[in-house]
Amino acid sequence: MGRKYGQHFLSNPSILERIATAACPDGPETELVIEIGPGRGALTEHLLKRARRVVAVEIDTVLVHYLQNKFRDFPNLTILHQDVLKTDLAAYGPAVIAGNLPYYITSPILDRVFAAGGSWQRAVFLVQKEVAERVTAGPGSRDYGYLSVQTRLFSEPRILFAVSRGSFRPPPKVESAVFELVPHEVPAVRDTKAFLRFASACFRQKRKTLRNNLLAAYEKDAVDALPQAGTRAEQLGIEELAAIWIQLAGREIAQGHRAEVES
Ligand code: SAM
């Protein structure tokens, strides 16, 4: 098996069990798990013991055939031969989402999860350790950036445990970690897309001040009027960023331009 599609298979049973337990802490009471990238079904086996139903999304034709054969006696497993980036994760009802992710598309997968709105109950993912640190970082930390803000807009993130390279076949070049996301009932702002465009502008160049980053997108007068203009975005939590955004967006809307910030 090559490394196409970020294929590094977990071979450590205790790690597999820990991921499945984190995804389904209520054991067989867990109604549905959507697994992203089941590969040869190592994690799937553990999830099937803990959930009533598993929907597994795999892109690789060879692996899909392998899985169909391996799990032919499991009517509670649905294997979707599909690109997860084209899968509607909200289509199967309230679900836990889990997986040892293909690392090269971690961010687009998170976009997809967050786009699933109120339909996911928890997410547990194994990813590159640096990415887990960026996803879970809080303001003031070295790793805090756009990905952290996006994550905290929709959920409460937490690193669960590290996974060494030796737990995979073949071993990846990077260290790995498992993190959990618990979704907020309601995101911190109503127009999440417009707010994330603003957040992206704030973190355009991480070492620069808000003023320098925002001048590319907003009127100079409006930016200069911000009390936090000299601050860096990496020091500001969601509530503070949202307050600045509302101040700027309100002003832009009042002046009747910049459709991108209408909320
Ligand atoms: N879950 C298995 C394990 O832990 O042994 C495999 C994990 S491997 C890191 C990632 C899996 O995601 C591979 O099986 C790969 O084929 C699959 N994959 C990669 N890109 C995908 C995509 N866009 N949609 C669905 N599955 C994908």
Side-chain angles (χ1 to χ4, degrees), residues 134-212:
R134 286 199 280 127
V135 165
T136 55
S141 123
R142 182 176 51 99
D143 298 311
Y144 185 68
Y146 175 81
L147 190 58
S148 334
V149 170
Q150 181 193 29
T151 303
R152 284 174 185 276
L153 181 60
F154 297 102
S155 64
E156 188 60 39
R158 187 164 66 110
I159 289 201
L160 298 182
F161 53 91
V163 180
S164 70
R165 297 170 209 211
S167 294
F168 300 84
R169 298 282 176 277
K173 290 202 178 76
V174 295
E175 293 297 325
S176 302
V178 176
F179 69 87
E180 168 196 71
L181 304 176
V182 178
H184 298 316
E185 273 180 31
V186 185
V189 299
R190 192 165 51 85
D191 189 343
T192 54
K193 280 193 185 149
F195 174 71
L196 287 174
R197 279 199 296 275
F198 164 76
S200 162
C202 290
F203 285 98
R204 205 166 52 95
Q205 295 197 53
K206 264 190 85 176
R207 300 287 149 209
K208 292 206 167 177
T209 60
L210 273 186
R211 182 177 188 280
N212 278 327

Side-chain angles (χ1 to χ4, degrees), residues 7-253:
Q7 290 169 349
H8 295 276
F9 300 103
L10 268 173
S11 55
N12 181 330
S14 78
I15 296 289
L16 288 161
E17 186 55 22
R18 283 176 80 185
I19 298 173
T21 309
C24 312
D26 307 326
E29 297 302 310
T30 306
E31 186 58 39
L32 170 65
V33 178
I34 299 178
E35 187 191 356
I36 298 175
R40 295 182 188 134
L43 179 60
T44 321
E45 281 181 51
H46 291 257
L47 293 171
L48 281 166
K49 282 185 214 150
R50 302 193 135 258
R52 293 212 172 101
R53 202 156 67 90
V54 176
V55 172
V57 189
E58 174 57 60
I59 198 169
D60 187 317
T61 310
V62 175
L63 290 175
V64 167
H65 289 151
Y66 178 92
L67 290 165
Q68 282 165 342
N69 187 43
K70 176 170 176 172
F71 293 106
R72 57 179 180 273
D73 297 328
F74 286 80
N76 56 337
L77 172 66
T78 305
I79 300 161
L80 300 178
H81 184 194
Q82 215 159 286
D83 179 349
V84 69
L85 301 183
K86 295 182 180 147
T87 304
D88 177 4
L89 297 171
Y92 302 89
V96 171
I97 308 177
N100 168 16
L101 297 188
Y103 292 1
Y104 72 109
I105 48 169
T106 300
S107 286
I109 289 174
L110 289 178
D111 290 341
R112 210 78 208 151
V113 171
F114 297 138
S119 76
W120 58 289
Q121 297 165 321
R122 174 186 301 104
V124 175
F125 293 135
L126 173 54
V127 300
Q128 181 176 344
K129 186 161 162 266
E130 282 75 17
V131 177
E133 284 165 352
R134 286 199 280 127
V135 165
T136 55
S141 123
R142 182 176 51 99
D143 298 311
Y144 185 68
Y146 175 81
L147 190 58
S148 334
V149 170
Q150 181 193 29
T151 303
R152 284 174 185 276
L153 181 60
F154 297 102
S155 64
E156 188 60 39
R158 187 164 66 110
I159 289 201
L160 298 182
F161 53 91
V163 180
S164 70
R165 297 170 209 211
S167 294
F168 300 84
R169 298 282 176 277
K173 290 202 178 76
V174 295
E175 293 297 325
S176 302
V178 176
F179 69 87
E180 168 196 71
L181 304 176
V182 178
H184 298 316
E185 273 180 31
V186 185
V189 299
R190 192 165 51 85
D191 189 343
T192 54
K193 280 193 185 149
F195 174 71
L196 287 174
R197 279 199 296 275
F198 164 76
S200 162
C202 290
F203 285 98
R204 205 166 52 95
Q205 295 197 53
K206 264 190 85 176
R207 300 287 149 209
K208 292 206 167 177
T209 60
L210 273 186
R211 182 177 188 280
N212 278 327
N213 280 331
L214 290 176
L215 278 178
Y218 295 90
E219 304 290 332
K220 183 171 176 301
D221 288 356
V223 174
D224 282 338
L226 294 172
Q228 309 89 336
T231 317
R232 287 188 195 147
E234 64 187 8
Q235 284 145 350
L236 303 170
I238 292 261
E239 282 74 19
E240 290 158 299
L241 286 168
I244 297 170
W245 172 62
I246 287 163
Q247 196 177 327
L248 280 177
R251 186 174 165 138
E252 295 285 331
I253 290 163

